[in-house]
Amino acid sequence: MAAALSAYEDKVLRLIAEHGGRVLQRGTVLPGSQYEDEPPAEVQFLEMPSEASLDAYMNDPRRLAMAAERDAAIARTDLFRIQRSSLPDRAGGT
């Protein structure tokens, strides 16, 4: 199912930019990662300008039209809204 998941995500993530967002990071979870249940196969960090933009993406008719393809490739989706934290600079400061 990894190939089906990747193919679906390749298509659906192209829609993000049309809603003002960006795909910041996309990757697979490595074996041995700590996770209570079965770990997700893929994790994505998306940046959206607003909740309305996220809603528009989630309800995009093109995305919704791929529901059967999504359901065949993905067992579940967990959506977390996060706030960025500042990182210390590389010189050792904060």
Side-chain angles (χ1 to χ4, degrees), residues 5-42:
L5 166 66
S6 185
Y8 168 78
E9 294 294 352
D10 288 347
K11 287 188 262 184
V12 77
L13 290 175
R14 289 185 192 120
L15 303 174
I16 294 283
E18 294 181 36
H19 296 283
R22 296 187 311 146
V23 178
L24 301 176
Q25 188 74 35
R26 179 181 174 191
T28 56
V29 177
L30 297 174
S33 297
Q34 293 182 343
Y35 196 76
E36 197 169 297
D37 298 316
E38 185 175 332
E42 184 170 302

Side-chain angles (χ1 to χ4, degrees), residues 32-71:
S33 297
Q34 293 182 343
Y35 196 76
E36 197 169 297
D37 298 316
E38 185 175 332
E42 184 170 302
V43 175
Q44 303 147 5
F45 284 87
L46 310 176
E47 181 178 68
M48 300 300 283
S50 66
E51 193 70 28
S53 295
L54 176 61
D55 289 342
Y57 164 70
M58 296 298 286
N59 294 300
D60 186 305
R62 296 166 296 175
R63 182 180 174 280
L64 297 176
M66 292 185 258
E69 184 178 351
R70 182 204 174 283
D71 292 345

